[in-house]
Each structure stands twice: as C-alpha cells, then as structure tokens.
Coordinates of all heavy atoms in Angstrom, one line a residue:
M3 N 255.8 85.3 -111.1 CA 256.9 85.3 -112.0 C 258.0 86.2 -111.4 O 257.7 87.3 -110.9 CB 256.5 85.8 -113.3 CG 257.6 85.8 -114.4 SD 256.9 86.2 -116.0 CE 258.3 86.8 -116.8
A4 N 259.2 85.7 -111.3 CA 260.3 86.4 -110.7 C 260.8 87.6 -111.6 O 260.6 87.5 -112.8 CB 261.5 85.5 -110.5
D5 N 261.3 88.6 -111.0 CA 261.7 89.8 -111.7 C 263.1 89.4 -112.3 O 264.0 89.1 -111.7 CB 261.9 91.0 -110.7 CG 262.3 92.2 -111.4 OD1 262.3 92.3 -112.7 OD2 262.6 93.2 -110.7
T6 N 263.1 89.5 -113.7 CA 264.4 89.2 -114.4 C 265.2 90.4 -114.7 O 266.2 90.3 -115.4 CB 264.1 88.4 -115.7 OG1 263.2 89.2 -116.5 CG2 263.4 87.1 -115.4
N7 N 264.8 91.6 -114.2 CA 265.5 92.8 -114.5 C 266.6 93.0 -113.5 O 266.5 93.6 -112.5 CB 264.6 94.0 -114.5 CG 263.6 94.1 -115.6 OD1 263.9 93.5 -116.7 ND2 262.5 94.7 -115.4
E8 N 267.7 92.4 -113.8 CA 268.9 92.5 -112.9 C 269.5 93.9 -113.1 O 269.3 94.5 -114.1 CB 270.0 91.5 -113.2 CG 269.5 90.0 -113.0 CD 270.6 89.1 -113.4 OE1 271.8 89.4 -113.3 OE2 270.2 88.0 -113.8
Q9 N 270.1 94.4 -112.0 CA 270.7 95.7 -112.1 C 272.2 95.6 -111.7 O 272.6 96.2 -110.7 CB 269.9 96.7 -111.2 CG 268.6 97.0 -111.7 CD 267.9 98.0 -110.9 OE1 268.1 98.1 -109.7 NE2 267.0 98.8 -111.5
P10 N 273.0 95.0 -112.5 CA 274.4 94.9 -112.1 C 275.1 96.2 -112.1 O 276.0 96.5 -111.4 CB 275.0 93.9 -113.1 CG 274.1 94.0 -114.3 CD 272.7 94.3 -113.7
E11 N 274.5 97.2 -112.9 CA 275.1 98.5 -113.0 C 275.0 99.3 -111.7 O 275.7 100.2 -111.5 CB 274.6 99.3 -114.2 CG 273.1 99.7 -114.1 CD 272.1 98.6 -114.5 OE1 272.5 97.5 -114.9 OE2 270.9 98.9 -114.4
S12 N 274.1 98.8 -110.9 CA 273.9 99.6 -109.6 C 275.1 99.5 -108.8 O 275.3 100.3 -107.9 CB 272.7 99.1 -108.9 OG 272.9 97.8 -108.4
H13 N 276.0 98.6 -109.0 CA 277.2 98.4 -108.3 C 278.4 98.7 -109.1 O 279.5 98.5 -108.7 CB 277.3 97.1 -107.6 CG 276.2 96.8 -106.6 ND1 276.1 97.5 -105.4 CD2 275.1 96.0 -106.7 CE1 275.0 97.1 -104.8 NE2 274.4 96.2 -105.5
S14 N 278.2 99.1 -110.3 CA 279.3 99.3 -111.2 C 280.1 100.6 -110.9 O 279.6 101.5 -110.2 CB 278.9 99.3 -112.7 OG 278.2 100.5 -112.9
D15 N 281.3 100.7 -111.4 CA 282.1 101.9 -111.3 C 281.4 103.1 -111.8 O 281.4 104.2 -111.3 CB 283.5 101.7 -111.9 CG 284.4 100.8 -111.1 OD1 284.1 100.5 -109.9 OD2 285.4 100.4 -111.7
V16 N 280.7 102.9 -113.0 CA 280.0 104.1 -113.6 C 278.9 104.6 -112.7 O 278.8 105.8 -112.5 CB 279.5 103.7 -115.0 CG1 278.6 104.7 -115.6 CG2 280.6 103.4 -116.0
H17 N 278.2 103.7 -112.1 CA 277.1 104.1 -111.3 C 277.6 104.7 -110.0 O 277.1 105.7 -109.5 CB 276.2 102.8 -110.9 CG 274.9 103.2 -110.3 ND1 274.8 103.3 -108.9 CD2 273.7 103.5 -110.8 CE1 273.5 103.7 -108.6 NE2 272.9 103.8 -109.8
R18 N 278.6 104.1 -109.4 CA 279.2 104.7 -108.2 C 279.8 106.1 -108.4 O 279.6 107.0 -107.6 CB 280.3 103.8 -107.6 CG 279.7 102.5 -107.0 CD 280.7 101.8 -106.1 NE 282.0 101.7 -106.6 CZ 282.6 100.7 -107.2 NH1 281.9 99.5 -107.2 NH2 283.8 100.7 -107.6
F19 N 280.4 106.3 -109.6 CA 280.9 107.6 -109.9 C 279.7 108.6 -110.1 O 279.8 109.7 -109.6 CB 281.7 107.5 -111.2 CG 282.3 108.9 -111.6 CD1 283.2 109.5 -110.9 CD2 281.8 109.5 -112.8 CE1 283.7 110.8 -111.2 CE2 282.3 110.8 -113.2 CZ 283.2 111.4 -112.4
G20 N 278.7 108.2 -110.7 CA 277.5 109.0 -110.8 C 276.9 109.5 -109.5 O 276.6 110.6 -109.3
Q21 N 276.9 108.5 -108.6 CA 276.4 108.9 -107.2 C 277.3 109.9 -106.5 O 276.9 110.8 -105.9 CB 276.3 107.6 -106.4 CG 275.2 106.7 -106.8 CD 275.2 105.4 -106.0 OE1 276.2 104.8 -105.7 NE2 274.0 104.9 -105.8
L22 N 278.6 109.6 -106.7 CA 279.6 110.5 -106.1 C 279.5 112.0 -106.7 O 279.5 112.9 -105.9 CB 281.0 110.0 -106.4 CG 282.2 110.9 -105.9 CD1 282.2 111.1 -104.4 CD2 283.5 110.2 -106.3
V23 N 279.3 112.0 -108.0 CA 279.1 113.3 -108.6 C 277.9 114.0 -108.1 O 277.9 115.2 -107.7 CB 279.1 113.2 -110.2 CG1 278.6 114.5 -110.9 CG2 280.4 112.7 -110.7
R24 N 276.8 113.3 -108.0 CA 275.6 113.9 -107.5 C 275.7 114.4 -106.1 O 275.3 115.6 -105.7 CB 274.4 113.0 -107.6 CG 273.1 113.6 -107.0 CD 271.9 112.7 -107.1 NE 271.5 112.7 -108.5 CZ 271.2 111.7 -109.3 NH1 271.3 110.4 -108.8 NH2 270.8 111.8 -110.5
E25 N 276.3 113.6 -105.2 CA 276.5 114.0 -103.8 C 277.4 115.2 -103.7 O 277.0 116.2 -103.0 CB 277.2 112.8 -103.1 CG 276.3 111.6 -102.9 CD 277.0 110.4 -102.4 OE1 278.2 110.5 -102.1 OE2 276.4 109.3 -102.3
R26 N 278.5 115.3 -104.5 CA 279.4 116.4 -104.4 C 278.7 117.7 -105.0 O 278.9 118.8 -104.5 CB 280.7 116.1 -105.1 CG 281.6 115.1 -104.4 CD 281.9 115.7 -103.0 NE 282.7 114.7 -102.3 CZ 284.0 114.7 -102.2 NH1 284.7 115.6 -102.8 NH2 284.6 113.8 -101.5
R27 N 278.0 117.5 -106.1 CA 277.4 118.7 -106.7 C 276.4 119.3 -105.7 O 276.3 120.5 -105.5 CB 276.7 118.2 -108.0 CG 275.9 119.4 -108.7 CD 275.3 118.9 -109.9 NE 274.3 117.8 -109.8 CZ 273.0 118.0 -109.3 NH1 272.6 119.2 -108.9 NH2 272.2 117.0 -109.1
M28 N 275.6 118.4 -105.2 CA 274.5 118.9 -104.3 C 275.1 119.5 -103.0 O 274.6 120.5 -102.5 CB 273.5 117.7 -104.0 CG 272.7 117.3 -105.2 SD 271.6 116.0 -104.9 CE 270.3 116.9 -104.1
A29 N 276.2 118.9 -102.5 CA 276.8 119.5 -101.3 C 277.3 120.9 -101.5 O 277.4 121.7 -100.6 CB 278.0 118.5 -100.9
R30 N 277.7 121.2 -102.8 CA 278.1 122.5 -103.1 C 277.0 123.5 -103.4 O 277.2 124.6 -103.6 CB 279.0 122.5 -104.4 CG 280.4 121.9 -104.1 CD 281.2 121.9 -105.3 NE 282.6 121.5 -105.0 CZ 283.6 122.4 -105.1 NH1 283.4 123.6 -105.6 NH2 284.8 122.0 -104.7
G31 N 275.8 122.9 -103.5 CA 274.6 123.7 -103.9 C 274.5 124.1 -105.3 O 273.9 125.0 -105.7
W32 N 275.2 123.3 -106.2 CA 275.3 123.5 -107.6 C 274.1 122.8 -108.3 O 273.8 121.7 -108.0 CB 276.6 123.0 -108.2 CG 277.8 123.9 -107.9 CD1 277.9 124.9 -107.1 CD2 279.1 123.6 -108.4 NE1 279.2 125.4 -107.1 CE2 279.9 124.6 -107.9 CE3 279.6 122.7 -109.3 CZ2 281.3 124.7 -108.2 CZ3 281.0 122.8 -109.6 CH2 281.8 123.8 -109.0
S33 N 273.6 123.4 -109.4 CA 272.7 122.8 -110.3 C 273.5 122.0 -111.3 O 274.8 122.1 -111.4 CB 271.9 123.8 -111.0 OG 272.8 124.6 -111.9
Q34 N 272.9 121.1 -112.0 CA 273.6 120.4 -113.1 C 274.1 121.3 -114.1 O 275.2 121.1 -114.7 CB 272.6 119.3 -113.7 CG 272.3 118.2 -112.8 CD 271.3 117.2 -113.3 OE1 270.5 117.5 -114.2 NE2 271.3 116.0 -112.8
E35 N 273.4 122.4 -114.3 CA 273.8 123.4 -115.3 C 275.1 124.1 -114.8 O 276.0 124.3 -115.6 CB 272.7 124.5 -115.4 CG 272.9 125.5 -116.5 CD 271.6 126.3 -116.6 OE1 271.4 127.2 -115.8 OE2 270.9 126.1 -117.6
A36 N 275.2 124.4 -113.5 CA 276.4 125.0 -113.0 C 277.6 124.1 -113.1 O 278.7 124.5 -113.4 CB 276.2 125.4 -111.5
L37 N 277.4 122.8 -112.8 CA 278.5 121.8 -113.0 C 278.9 121.7 -114.4 O 280.1 121.7 -114.7 CB 278.1 120.4 -112.4 CG 279.1 119.3 -112.6 CD1 280.5 119.7 -112.1 CD2 278.6 118.0 -112.0
A38 N 278.0 121.7 -115.3 CA 278.3 121.6 -116.8 C 279.1 122.8 -117.2 O 280.1 122.7 -117.9 CB 277.0 121.5 -117.6
A39 N 278.7 124.0 -116.7 CA 279.5 125.2 -117.0 C 280.9 125.1 -116.5 O 281.9 125.5 -117.2 CB 278.8 126.4 -116.5
E40 N 281.0 124.6 -115.3 CA 282.4 124.5 -114.7 C 283.2 123.4 -115.3 O 284.4 123.7 -115.5 CB 282.2 124.3 -113.1 CG 283.5 124.4 -112.4 CD 284.1 125.7 -112.3 OE1 283.4 126.8 -112.4 OE2 285.4 125.8 -112.2
A41 N 282.7 122.3 -115.5 CA 283.4 121.1 -116.0 C 283.7 121.1 -117.4 O 284.8 120.7 -117.9 CB 282.8 119.8 -115.6
F42 N 282.7 121.6 -118.2 CA 282.8 121.5 -119.7 C 282.7 122.9 -120.4 O 282.7 123.0 -121.6 CB 281.6 120.7 -120.2 CG 281.5 119.3 -119.6 CD1 280.3 119.0 -118.9 CD2 282.5 118.4 -119.6 CE1 280.2 117.7 -118.3 CE2 282.4 117.2 -119.0 CZ 281.3 116.8 -118.4
A43 N 282.7 124.0 -119.5 CA 282.6 125.3 -120.1 C 281.4 125.5 -121.0 O 281.4 126.2 -122.0 CB 283.9 125.8 -120.8
N44 N 280.3 124.8 -120.7 CA 279.1 124.8 -121.5 C 277.9 124.4 -120.6 O 277.7 123.2 -120.4 CB 279.3 123.8 -122.7 CG 278.1 123.9 -123.6 OD1 277.0 124.4 -123.3 ND2 278.2 123.3 -124.8
Q45 N 277.2 125.3 -120.2 CA 276.0 125.0 -119.3 C 274.9 124.2 -120.0 O 274.1 123.5 -119.3 CB 275.4 126.3 -118.7 CG 274.8 127.2 -119.7 CD 274.3 128.5 -119.1 OE1 274.8 128.9 -118.1 NE2 273.5 129.2 -119.8
D46 N 274.9 124.2 -121.3 CA 273.9 123.4 -122.0 C 274.2 121.9 -121.9 O 273.3 121.1 -122.4 CB 273.9 123.8 -123.5 CG 273.3 125.3 -123.6 OD1 272.6 125.7 -122.7 OD2 273.7 125.9 -124.6
R47 N 275.3 121.5 -121.4 CA 275.6 120.1 -121.2 C 275.0 119.5 -119.9 O 275.4 118.4 -119.5 CB 277.1 119.8 -121.3 CG 277.6 120.3 -122.7 CD 278.9 119.7 -123.2 NE 278.8 118.2 -123.3 CZ 279.9 117.5 -123.2 NH1 281.1 118.0 -123.1 NH2 279.8 116.2 -123.3
K48 N 274.1 120.2 -119.3 CA 273.5 119.7 -118.1 C 272.8 118.4 -118.3 O 272.8 117.5 -117.4 CB 272.5 120.7 -117.5 CG 271.3 121.0 -118.4 CD 270.4 122.1 -117.9 CE 269.3 122.3 -118.8 NZ 268.4 123.4 -118.4
G49 N 272.3 118.1 -119.5 CA 271.7 116.8 -119.7 C 272.7 115.7 -119.7 O 272.4 114.6 -119.2
Y50 N 273.9 116.0 -120.1 CA 275.0 115.0 -120.0 C 275.4 114.7 -118.5 O 275.6 113.6 -118.1 CB 276.2 115.5 -120.8 CG 277.4 114.5 -121.0 CD1 277.1 113.2 -121.5 CD2 278.6 114.8 -120.6 CE1 278.2 112.3 -121.6 CE2 279.7 113.9 -120.7 CZ 279.4 112.7 -121.2 OH 280.5 111.8 -121.4
V51 N 275.4 115.8 -117.8 CA 275.7 115.6 -116.3 C 274.6 114.7 -115.7 O 274.9 113.8 -114.9 CB 275.7 117.0 -115.6 CG1 275.7 116.9 -114.1 CG2 276.9 117.8 -116.1
S52 N 273.4 114.9 -116.1 CA 272.3 114.1 -115.6 C 272.5 112.6 -115.9 O 272.3 111.7 -115.1 CB 270.9 114.6 -116.1 OG 269.9 113.7 -115.7
L53 N 272.9 112.4 -117.2 CA 273.1 111.0 -117.6 C 274.3 110.4 -116.8 O 274.2 109.2 -116.4 CB 273.5 111.0 -119.1 CG 272.3 111.3 -120.1 CD1 272.8 111.4 -121.5 CD2 271.2 110.3 -120.0
I54 N 275.3 111.1 -116.6 CA 276.4 110.6 -115.8 C 276.0 110.3 -114.4 O 276.3 109.2 -113.8 CB 277.6 111.6 -115.8 CG1 278.2 111.7 -117.2 CG2 278.6 111.3 -114.7 CD1 279.2 112.8 -117.4
E55 N 275.3 111.2 -113.7 CA 274.8 111.0 -112.4 C 273.9 109.8 -112.2 O 273.9 109.1 -111.2 CB 274.0 112.2 -111.9 CG 274.9 113.4 -111.6 CD 274.2 114.6 -111.0 OE1 273.0 114.6 -111.0 OE2 274.9 115.6 -110.7
N56 N 273.2 109.5 -113.3 CA 272.3 108.3 -113.3 C 272.9 107.0 -113.8 O 272.2 106.0 -114.0 CB 271.0 108.7 -114.0 CG 270.1 109.7 -113.3 OD1 269.7 109.4 -112.2 ND2 270.0 110.8 -113.8
G57 N 274.2 107.1 -114.0 CA 274.9 105.9 -114.5 C 274.5 105.4 -115.9 O 274.6 104.3 -116.2
K58 N 274.1 106.4 -116.7 CA 273.6 106.0 -118.0 C 274.6 106.3 -119.1 O 274.2 106.2 -120.3 CB 272.3 106.8 -118.3 CG 271.3 106.6 -117.3 CD 270.0 106.2 -117.8 CE 269.0 106.0 -116.7 NZ 267.9 105.2 -117.0
V59 N 275.8 106.6 -118.8 CA 276.9 106.8 -119.8 C 277.9 105.6 -119.5 O 278.9 105.8 -118.7 CB 277.6 108.2 -119.6 CG1 278.6 108.3 -120.7 CG2 276.5 109.2 -119.8
P60 N 277.7 104.5 -120.1 CA 278.6 103.3 -119.8 C 280.0 103.5 -120.2 O 280.9 102.9 -119.6 CB 277.9 102.2 -120.6 CG 277.1 102.8 -121.7 CD 276.7 104.2 -121.1
N61 N 280.3 104.4 -121.2 CA 281.6 104.5 -121.7 C 282.1 105.9 -121.4 O 282.7 106.6 -122.2 CB 281.7 104.2 -123.2 CG 281.4 102.8 -123.5 OD1 281.8 101.9 -122.8 ND2 280.6 102.6 -124.5
V62 N 281.9 106.4 -120.2 CA 282.4 107.7 -119.8 C 283.9 107.8 -119.9 O 284.6 106.9 -119.5 CB 281.9 108.1 -118.4 CG1 282.5 107.2 -117.3 CG2 282.2 109.6 -118.1
T63 N 284.4 108.8 -120.6 CA 285.8 108.9 -120.8 C 286.6 109.4 -119.6 O 286.0 110.0 -118.8 CB 286.1 109.8 -122.0 OG1 285.8 111.2 -121.6 CG2 285.4 109.5 -123.3
R64 N 287.8 109.0 -119.6 CA 288.7 109.5 -118.5 C 288.8 111.0 -118.5 O 288.9 111.6 -117.5 CB 290.0 108.8 -118.5 CG 289.9 107.4 -118.1 CD 291.3 106.7 -118.1 NE 291.2 105.3 -117.6 CZ 292.1 104.4 -117.7 NH1 293.2 104.7 -118.3 NH2 291.9 103.2 -117.2
E65 N 288.8 111.6 -119.7 CA 288.8 113.0 -119.8 C 287.6 113.7 -119.1 O 287.7 114.7 -118.4 CB 288.9 113.5 -121.3 CG 290.1 114.2 -121.8 CD 291.1 114.7 -120.8 OE1 292.1 114.0 -120.6 OE2 291.0 115.8 -120.3
T66 N 286.5 113.1 -119.3 CA 285.2 113.6 -118.7 C 285.3 113.4 -117.2 O 285.0 114.4 -116.5 CB 284.0 112.9 -119.3 OG1 283.9 113.2 -120.7 CG2 282.7 113.2 -118.6
V67 N 285.7 112.3 -116.8 CA 285.9 112.0 -115.3 C 286.8 113.1 -114.7 O 286.6 113.7 -113.7 CB 286.4 110.6 -115.0 CG1 286.7 110.4 -113.6 CG2 285.3 109.6 -115.5
K68 N 287.9 113.3 -115.4 CA 288.9 114.3 -114.9 C 288.3 115.7 -114.9 O 288.5 116.4 -113.9 CB 290.1 114.3 -115.9 CG 291.3 115.1 -115.4 CD 292.4 115.2 -116.4 CE 293.1 113.9 -116.8 NZ 294.3 114.1 -117.6
S69 N 287.6 116.1 -115.9 CA 287.0 117.4 -115.9 C 286.0 117.6 -114.7 O 286.0 118.6 -114.0 CB 286.3 117.7 -117.2 OG 287.2 117.7 -118.2
I70 N 285.2 116.6 -114.5 CA 284.2 116.6 -113.4 C 284.9 116.6 -112.0 O 284.6 117.4 -111.1 CB 283.2 115.5 -113.5 CG1 282.3 115.8 -114.7 CG2 282.4 115.4 -112.2 CD1 281.4 114.6 -115.1
A71 N 285.9 115.8 -111.9 CA 286.7 115.7 -110.7 C 287.4 117.0 -110.3 O 287.3 117.4 -109.2 CB 287.7 114.6 -110.7
R72 N 287.9 117.6 -111.3 CA 288.5 118.9 -111.1 C 287.5 120.0 -110.6 O 287.7 120.7 -109.7 CB 289.3 119.4 -112.3 CG 290.6 118.7 -112.5 CD 291.3 119.3 -113.7 NE 292.6 118.7 -113.9 CZ 293.2 118.5 -115.0 NH1 292.6 118.9 -116.1 NH2 294.4 117.9 -115.1
A73 N 286.4 120.0 -111.3 CA 285.3 121.0 -111.0 C 284.8 120.8 -109.6 O 284.5 121.8 -108.9 CB 284.2 120.9 -112.1
L74 N 284.6 119.6 -109.2 CA 284.1 119.3 -107.9 C 285.1 119.0 -106.8 O 284.8 118.7 -105.7 CB 283.1 118.1 -108.0 CG 281.9 118.3 -108.8 CD1 281.1 117.0 -108.9 CD2 281.0 119.4 -108.2
E75 N 286.4 119.1 -107.2 CA 287.5 118.9 -106.3 C 287.4 117.5 -105.6 O 287.5 117.4 -104.4 CB 287.7 120.0 -105.3 CG 288.0 121.3 -105.9 CD 288.1 122.5 -104.9 OE1 287.9 122.2 -103.7 OE2 288.3 123.6 -105.3
I76 N 287.1 116.5 -106.4 CA 287.0 115.1 -105.9 C 288.4 114.5 -105.8 O 289.1 114.5 -106.8 CB 286.1 114.3 -106.9 CG1 284.7 114.8 -106.9 CG2 286.1 112.8 -106.4 CD1 283.7 114.1 -107.9
D77 N 288.7 114.0 -104.7 CA 289.9 113.3 -104.5 C 290.0 112.0 -105.4 O 289.0 111.2 -105.4 CB 290.0 112.8 -103.0 CG 291.4 112.2 -102.7 OD1 292.0 111.6 -103.6 OD2 291.7 112.2 -101.5
P78 N 291.0 111.9 -106.2 CA 291.1 110.8 -107.1 C 290.9 109.4 -106.5 O 290.4 108.5 -107.1 CB 292.5 110.9 -107.8 CG 292.8 112.4 -107.7 CD 292.1 112.8 -106.4
E79 N 291.3 109.3 -105.2 CA 291.2 108.0 -104.5 C 289.7 107.6 -104.3 O 289.4 106.5 -104.1 CB 291.9 108.1 -103.1 CG 293.4 108.2 -103.2 CD 294.0 107.0 -103.9 OE1 293.6 105.8 -103.6 OE2 294.8 107.1 -104.8
L80 N 288.8 108.6 -104.4 CA 287.4 108.3 -104.3 C 286.7 107.9 -105.6 O 285.6 107.3 -105.6 CB 286.6 109.5 -103.8 CG 287.0 110.0 -102.4 CD1 286.3 111.3 -102.0 CD2 286.8 109.0 -101.3
I81 N 287.5 108.1 -106.7 CA 286.9 107.7 -108.0 C 287.1 106.2 -108.2 O 288.2 105.7 -107.9 CB 287.7 108.5 -109.1 CG1 287.4 110.0 -108.9 CG2 287.2 108.0 -110.5 CD1 288.2 110.9 -109.8
P82 N 286.1 105.5 -108.6 CA 286.3 104.1 -108.8 C 287.5 103.8 -109.8 O 287.7 104.5 -110.7 CB 284.9 103.7 -109.5 CG 284.0 104.7 -109.0 CD 284.8 106.0 -108.9
P83 N 288.2 102.7 -109.4 CA 289.5 102.4 -110.1 C 289.4 102.3 -111.6 O 290.3 102.8 -112.3 CB 289.9 101.1 -109.5 CG 289.2 101.0 -108.2 CD 288.0 101.8 -108.3
A84 N 288.3 101.8 -112.2 CA 288.2 101.6 -113.6 C 288.1 103.0 -114.3 O 288.4 103.1 -115.5 CB 287.0 100.8 -114.0
L85 N 287.8 104.0 -113.6 CA 287.6 105.3 -114.2 C 288.7 106.3 -114.0 O 288.7 107.4 -114.5 CB 286.3 106.0 -113.7 CG 285.0 105.2 -114.0 CD1 283.8 105.9 -113.5 CD2 284.9 104.9 -115.5
R86 N 289.7 105.9 -113.2 CA 290.8 106.8 -112.9 C 291.8 106.9 -114.1 O 291.9 106.0 -114.9 CB 291.6 106.2 -111.7 CG 290.9 106.4 -110.4 CD 291.8 106.0 -109.3 NE 291.0 105.7 -108.1 CZ 291.2 104.7 -107.3 NH1 292.3 104.0 -107.4 NH2 290.4 104.5 -106.3
W87 N 292.5 108.0 -114.2 CA 293.5 108.2 -115.2 C 294.8 108.0 -114.6 O 295.0 108.2 -113.4 CB 293.3 109.6 -115.8 CG 293.2 110.7 -114.8 CD1 294.3 111.5 -114.5 CD2 292.2 111.1 -114.0 NE1 293.9 112.4 -113.5 CE2 292.6 112.1 -113.2 CE3 290.8 110.6 -113.8 CZ2 291.8 112.8 -112.3 CZ3 290.0 111.2 -112.9 CH2 290.5 112.3 -112.1
P88 N 295.9 107.8 -115.4 CA 297.2 107.5 -114.9 C 297.8 108.5 -113.9 O 298.3 108.2 -112.9 CB 298.1 107.4 -116.1 CG 297.1 107.0 -117.2 CD 295.8 107.6 -116.8
E89 N 297.6 109.8 -114.2 CA 298.2 110.8 -113.4 C 297.2 111.3 -112.3 O 297.3 112.5 -111.8 CB 298.7 112.0 -114.2 CG 297.7 112.8 -114.9 CD 297.2 112.2 -116.2 OE1 297.5 111.0 -116.6 OE2 296.4 112.9 -116.9
A90 N 296.2 110.5 -112.0 CA 295.1 111.0 -111.1 C 295.6 111.6 -109.8 O 295.0 112.5 -109.3 CB 294.2 109.8 -110.8
S91 N 296.7 111.1 -109.3 CA 297.1 111.6 -108.0 C 297.5 113.1 -108.0 O 297.6 113.8 -107.0 CB 298.3 110.8 -107.5 OG 299.4 110.9 -108.4
E92 N 297.7 113.6 -109.2 CA 298.1 115.0 -109.4 C 296.9 116.0 -109.5 O 297.1 117.2 -109.4 CB 299.0 115.2 -110.7 CG 300.2 114.4 -110.7 CD 300.9 114.4 -112.0 OE1 300.6 115.2 -112.8 OE2 301.8 113.5 -112.2
V93 N 295.7 115.5 -109.6 CA 294.6 116.3 -109.9 C 294.2 117.3 -108.8 O 294.0 118.5 -109.1 CB 293.3 115.4 -110.2 CG1 292.1 116.2 -110.2 CG2 293.5 114.7 -111.5
V94 N 294.2 116.9 -107.6 CA 293.7 117.7 -106.6 C 294.8 118.5 -105.8 O 294.6 119.3 -105.0 CB 292.8 116.9 -105.6 CG1 292.1 117.8 -104.5 CG2 291.7 116.2 -106.3
Q95 N 296.0 118.3 -106.2 CA 297.1 118.9 -105.5 C 297.3 120.3 -105.9 O 298.2 121.0 -105.3 CB 298.4 118.1 -105.8 CG 298.4 116.7 -105.2 CD 299.6 115.9 -105.5 OE1 300.5 116.4 -106.2 NE2 299.7 114.7 -105.1
D96 N 296.6 120.9 -106.9 CA 296.8 122.3 -107.3 C 296.5 123.2 -106.1 O 295.6 123.1 -105.4 CB 295.8 122.6 -108.4 CG 296.0 121.8 -109.6 OD1 295.9 120.5 -109.5 OD2 296.3 122.3 -110.7

C-alpha cells in the first residue's frame, strides 16, 4: 500500500521559515529559551519557538516573524515572501 501521508508543508513558506530560524538560532549558539527571551521578552515561550521551527504554526503572524527576524538579524530577503511584512526592508538596517 502506498504512503498517502503527503507532506506539502515541507516546502511551504512556514516550514522554510522554521528551518531558517533553527539554522540562525543554532549558528548563534542560542537555546530556544534564549531566542524566546530575545524575540518575545519571555523565555517561557520556548515551546512556541519549537513549534515555529518545526513548521507547526500554520498561521504565524507577521508580527511574530518580525520579532524573530529582528532577534536573529535575519535579512528580510531571506524570509519567504508570504511571511514578509510591508516595511520588511527596514528591519535589518538599524
């Protein structure tokens, strides 16, 4: 019997963003707790960071994306188009 468990989300913007977040977080040597503290001013939101990294938050808000991008200094051009916010080009110029 063929496997009917398709994984279209593996190529979705949400999943790609999660992979980018994990790569950047690990490159900085940060724990999920450290990222949660930096992005959300609440280290207890580490579970939410985990969900994002695993592509399990299908409706991640642009505000959340923006907060994480700022914390990790992610160039807005690297963020999948569906998740970018209108003024994204201004984020990393600080």
Side-chain angles (χ1 to χ4, degrees):
M3 185 169 155
D5 184 9
T6 57
N7 291 332
E8 295 179 32
Q9 293 184 329
E11 68 276 359
S12 67
H13 298 290
S14 73
D15 286 346
V16 170
H17 192 273
R18 286 195 320 254
F19 179 66
Q21 290 175 323
L22 175 63
V23 169
R24 176 176 284 131
E25 289 168 8
R26 289 299 176 97
R27 177 182 61 76
M28 292 179 80
R30 286 178 172 249
W32 286 5
S33 65
Q34 290 176 339
E35 189 173 76
L37 176 54
E40 186 67 29
F42 307 120
N44 183 346
Q45 66 187 17
D46 293 335
R47 297 201 61 201
K48 65 184 177 185
Y50 188 54
V51 169
S52 176
L53 291 172
I54 290 169
E55 288 184 352
N56 288 298
K58 304 232 179 197
V59 181
N61 297 317
V62 64
T63 67
R64 288 183 175 166
E65 240 356 91
T66 294
V67 173
K68 187 187 296 188
S69 294
I70 291 172
R72 283 185 178 148
L74 293 173
E75 298 179 0
I76 295 174
D77 184 334
E79 291 298 315
L80 297 176
I81 297 169
L85 300 179
R86 286 186 205 144
W87 53 99
E89 70 280 7
S91 61
E92 300 171 13
V93 169
V94 186
Q95 294 178 0
D96 298 61

